[in-house]
Amino acid sequence: MIRAIIIDDIAEARAVLKSDLENYCPSIEVVGEAEGVVTGAKCINELKPDLVFLDIQMNDGSGFDLLEILPIKNFKLIFTTASDEYALKAFKFSAVDYLLKPIDPDELMEAVNRVEHQEKASERISLLKENLNHPKRIALNTLDKIHIVQVAEIVRCESSVNYTMFYFTDDTKLLVTKTLKEFDQLLSDHDFIRVHQSHLINVKFIKGFTKSDGYIFLKDGTKIPVSTRKKQVLMDMIQKF
């Protein structure tokens, strides 16, 4: 059994989540509850859970305040939040699990299944705090581990069925277990553009663009096709650099 605690300042929210865990996640045993930062930290220190469900905004502070005062974060973590889209993007950048309120039982089961196979979340928590400002690093899930890389070092991404191949400035590459569409949504605010159904590129690494045949040449020597409908968007982006 996975020993879990629920930290949320709304009693009804704790009760609903506890009931859903009992009904849909039999591997989870809720061993404690708390309603805020101070009581939550005390509960974690006393019960030493395997998993914490943590609300973002509470009456006496935030979930991040709670994590800040814990000297050791030897547990897995799922945030529960009604936060805005900007914060949700930070969660995705950091590969930190979250559940959007009101919590859907199917999403709850998926999140629990993911954390059962993940390492403790301490490094990704630090990354999340960093990414709540302006993301500079991103957590990438491969089949065997989570890699944390600098966004500025990503040259391009290429679709590989339901996976994405990442190419970096040091000529290394990673096969990541998410689709190109998901990374298009995450990286579009960071000078990345999806120039083709199969290709997402970092505009900063463009070396040249031939308008006649519609190909981009990157600084690493790669030649990438550009779809007709993306040509003007690409040229507009290039003008900014």
Side-chain angles (χ1 to χ4, degrees), residues 193 195 201-209 216-219 234 237-238:
I193 179 173
V195 296
I201 66 166
N202 188 335
V203 177
K204 294 178 181 177
F205 292 103
I206 294 177
K207 184 177 182 180
F209 174 46
I216 275 182
F217 297 88
L218 301 182
K219 293 178 182 179
L234 176 64
M237 288 191 71
I238 292 175

mmCIF file of all heavy atoms in Angstrom, residues 193 195 201-209 216-219 234 237-238:
data_model
loop_
_atom_site.group_PDB
_atom_site.id
_atom_site.type_symbol
_atom_site.label_atom_id
_atom_site.label_comp_id
_atom_site.label_asym_id
_atom_site.label_seq_id
_atom_site.Cartn_x
_atom_site.Cartn_y
_atom_site.Cartn_z
ATOM 1 N N ILE A 193 8.927 27.194 -33.418
ATOM 2 C CA ILE A 193 7.822 27.201 -34.362
ATOM 3 C C ILE A 193 7.721 25.835 -35.032
ATOM 4 O O ILE A 193 8.738 25.224 -35.393
ATOM 5 C CB ILE A 193 7.993 28.301 -35.436
ATOM 6 C CG1 ILE A 193 6.825 28.262 -36.437
ATOM 7 C CG2 ILE A 193 9.340 28.194 -36.144
ATOM 8 C CD1 ILE A 193 6.819 29.408 -37.418
ATOM 9 N N VAL A 195 7.226 24.171 -38.081
ATOM 10 C CA VAL A 195 7.273 24.546 -39.485
ATOM 11 C C VAL A 195 6.678 23.475 -40.398
ATOM 12 O O VAL A 195 6.450 23.718 -41.581
ATOM 13 C CB VAL A 195 8.725 24.831 -39.933
ATOM 14 C CG1 VAL A 195 9.282 26.027 -39.188
ATOM 15 C CG2 VAL A 195 9.623 23.604 -39.729
ATOM 16 N N ILE A 201 11.126 23.650 -34.571
ATOM 17 C CA ILE A 201 12.507 24.134 -34.546
ATOM 18 C C ILE A 201 12.656 25.355 -33.660
ATOM 19 O O ILE A 201 11.712 26.107 -33.427
ATOM 20 C CB ILE A 201 13.010 24.473 -35.961
ATOM 21 C CG1 ILE A 201 12.227 25.665 -36.524
ATOM 22 C CG2 ILE A 201 12.937 23.268 -36.882
ATOM 23 C CD1 ILE A 201 12.858 26.276 -37.755
ATOM 24 N N ASN A 202 13.874 25.526 -33.153
ATOM 25 C CA ASN A 202 14.254 26.721 -32.414
ATOM 26 C C ASN A 202 14.722 27.755 -33.434
ATOM 27 O O ASN A 202 15.731 27.566 -34.108
ATOM 28 C CB ASN A 202 15.380 26.387 -31.436
ATOM 29 C CG ASN A 202 15.707 27.527 -30.498
ATOM 30 O OD1 ASN A 202 15.463 28.688 -30.800
ATOM 31 N ND2 ASN A 202 16.289 27.202 -29.357
ATOM 32 N N VAL A 203 13.988 28.851 -33.549
ATOM 33 C CA VAL A 203 14.271 29.856 -34.571
ATOM 34 C C VAL A 203 15.693 30.405 -34.452
ATOM 35 O O VAL A 203 16.311 30.795 -35.446
ATOM 36 C CB VAL A 203 13.237 31.007 -34.479
ATOM 37 C CG1 VAL A 203 13.537 32.107 -35.481
ATOM 38 C CG2 VAL A 203 11.835 30.472 -34.706
ATOM 39 N N LYS A 204 16.248 30.407 -33.257
ATOM 40 C CA LYS A 204 17.588 30.959 -33.034
ATOM 41 C C LYS A 204 18.682 30.152 -33.741
ATOM 42 O O LYS A 204 19.808 30.639 -33.888
ATOM 43 C CB LYS A 204 17.877 31.034 -31.537
ATOM 44 C CG LYS A 204 16.982 32.026 -30.801
ATOM 45 C CD LYS A 204 17.260 32.033 -29.316
ATOM 46 C CE LYS A 204 16.341 33.028 -28.597
ATOM 47 N NZ LYS A 204 16.549 33.011 -27.134
ATOM 48 N N PHE A 205 18.349 28.936 -34.174
ATOM 49 C CA PHE A 205 19.354 28.104 -34.833
ATOM 50 C C PHE A 205 19.167 28.039 -36.351
ATOM 51 O O PHE A 205 19.782 27.224 -37.019
ATOM 52 C CB PHE A 205 19.341 26.691 -34.236
ATOM 53 C CG PHE A 205 19.834 26.648 -32.816
ATOM 54 C CD1 PHE A 205 18.946 26.538 -31.765
ATOM 55 C CD2 PHE A 205 21.189 26.759 -32.528
ATOM 56 C CE1 PHE A 205 19.392 26.518 -30.452
ATOM 57 C CE2 PHE A 205 21.649 26.748 -31.228
ATOM 58 C CZ PHE A 205 20.752 26.622 -30.179
ATOM 59 N N ILE A 206 18.337 28.914 -36.885
ATOM 60 C CA ILE A 206 18.168 28.968 -38.342
ATOM 61 C C ILE A 206 19.396 29.617 -38.974
ATOM 62 O O ILE A 206 19.828 30.695 -38.570
ATOM 63 C CB ILE A 206 16.898 29.762 -38.723
ATOM 64 C CG1 ILE A 206 15.647 29.010 -38.254
ATOM 65 C CG2 ILE A 206 16.840 29.979 -40.234
ATOM 66 C CD1 ILE A 206 14.356 29.765 -38.519
ATOM 67 N N LYS A 207 19.924 28.962 -40.007
ATOM 68 C CA LYS A 207 21.061 29.502 -40.753
ATOM 69 C C LYS A 207 20.605 30.129 -42.065
ATOM 70 O O LYS A 207 21.176 31.121 -42.534
ATOM 71 C CB LYS A 207 22.071 28.389 -41.028
ATOM 72 C CG LYS A 207 23.348 28.854 -41.714
ATOM 73 C CD LYS A 207 24.321 27.702 -41.880
ATOM 74 C CE LYS A 207 25.620 28.187 -42.529
ATOM 75 N NZ LYS A 207 26.577 27.053 -42.702
ATOM 76 N N GLY A 208 19.567 29.549 -42.671
ATOM 77 C CA GLY A 208 19.064 30.083 -43.926
ATOM 78 C C GLY A 208 17.721 29.494 -44.277
ATOM 79 O O GLY A 208 17.303 28.468 -43.738
ATOM 80 N N PHE A 209 17.013 30.168 -45.185
ATOM 81 C CA PHE A 209 15.691 29.726 -45.617
ATOM 82 C C PHE A 209 15.536 30.020 -47.106
ATOM 83 O O PHE A 209 15.664 31.162 -47.538
ATOM 84 C CB PHE A 209 14.608 30.449 -44.811
ATOM 85 C CG PHE A 209 13.200 30.180 -45.274
ATOM 86 C CD1 PHE A 209 12.770 28.890 -45.562
ATOM 87 C CD2 PHE A 209 12.301 31.227 -45.418
ATOM 88 C CE1 PHE A 209 11.471 28.652 -45.988
ATOM 89 C CE2 PHE A 209 10.986 30.996 -45.835
ATOM 90 C CZ PHE A 209 10.589 29.702 -46.119
ATOM 91 N N ILE A 216 14.319 25.006 -44.702
ATOM 92 C CA ILE A 216 15.118 25.728 -43.717
ATOM 93 C C ILE A 216 16.422 24.971 -43.512
ATOM 94 O O ILE A 216 16.437 23.733 -43.468
ATOM 95 C CB ILE A 216 14.364 25.835 -42.369
ATOM 96 C CG1 ILE A 216 13.433 27.033 -42.377
ATOM 97 C CG2 ILE A 216 15.318 25.981 -41.208
ATOM 98 C CD1 ILE A 216 12.715 27.215 -41.080
ATOM 99 N N PHE A 217 17.508 25.719 -43.353
ATOM 100 C CA PHE A 217 18.802 25.127 -43.032
ATOM 101 C C PHE A 217 19.199 25.593 -41.634
ATOM 102 O O PHE A 217 19.223 26.801 -41.357
ATOM 103 C CB PHE A 217 19.856 25.551 -44.062
ATOM 104 C CG PHE A 217 19.558 25.069 -45.451
ATOM 105 C CD1 PHE A 217 18.770 25.824 -46.304
ATOM 106 C CD2 PHE A 217 20.026 23.839 -45.887
ATOM 107 C CE1 PHE A 217 18.469 25.377 -47.580
ATOM 108 C CE2 PHE A 217 19.733 23.378 -47.170
ATOM 109 C CZ PHE A 217 18.946 24.155 -48.018
ATOM 110 N N LEU A 218 19.466 24.636 -40.765
ATOM 111 C CA LEU A 218 19.841 24.954 -39.390
ATOM 112 C C LEU A 218 21.357 24.950 -39.227
ATOM 113 O O LEU A 218 22.085 24.418 -40.065
ATOM 114 C CB LEU A 218 19.211 23.945 -38.429
ATOM 115 C CG LEU A 218 17.677 23.854 -38.455
ATOM 116 C CD1 LEU A 218 17.191 22.846 -37.425
ATOM 117 C CD2 LEU A 218 17.034 25.209 -38.215
ATOM 118 N N LYS A 219 21.817 25.548 -38.142
ATOM 119 C CA LYS A 219 23.251 25.686 -37.905
ATOM 120 C C LYS A 219 23.956 24.350 -37.703
ATOM 121 O O LYS A 219 25.178 24.273 -37.831
ATOM 122 C CB LYS A 219 23.488 26.601 -36.702
ATOM 123 C CG LYS A 219 23.067 28.045 -36.964
ATOM 124 C CD LYS A 219 23.262 28.920 -35.739
ATOM 125 C CE LYS A 219 22.799 30.347 -36.011
ATOM 126 N NZ LYS A 219 22.942 31.230 -34.823
ATOM 127 N N LEU A 234 6.845 31.890 -40.425
ATOM 128 C CA LEU A 234 8.283 31.709 -40.196
ATOM 129 C C LEU A 234 9.058 32.968 -40.566
ATOM 130 O O LEU A 234 9.923 33.415 -39.796
ATOM 131 C CB LEU A 234 8.782 30.514 -41.019
ATOM 132 C CG LEU A 234 10.285 30.266 -40.962
ATOM 133 C CD1 LEU A 234 10.723 29.909 -39.554
ATOM 134 C CD2 LEU A 234 10.667 29.161 -41.929
ATOM 135 N N MET A 237 8.759 35.593 -37.960
ATOM 136 C CA MET A 237 9.568 35.314 -36.776
ATOM 137 C C MET A 237 11.032 35.625 -37.028
ATOM 138 O O MET A 237 11.725 36.181 -36.170
ATOM 139 C CB MET A 237 9.400 33.849 -36.336
ATOM 140 C CG MET A 237 8.072 33.517 -35.700
ATOM 141 S SD MET A 237 8.054 31.877 -34.922
ATOM 142 C CE MET A 237 9.102 32.143 -33.499
ATOM 143 N N ILE A 238 11.519 35.257 -38.203
ATOM 144 C CA ILE A 238 12.927 35.491 -38.538
ATOM 145 C C ILE A 238 13.253 36.986 -38.501
ATOM 146 O O ILE A 238 14.326 37.392 -38.101
ATOM 147 C CB ILE A 238 13.246 34.891 -39.922
ATOM 148 C CG1 ILE A 238 13.186 33.360 -39.873
ATOM 149 C CG2 ILE A 238 14.637 35.328 -40.392
ATOM 150 C CD1 ILE A 238 13.365 32.687 -41.218
#
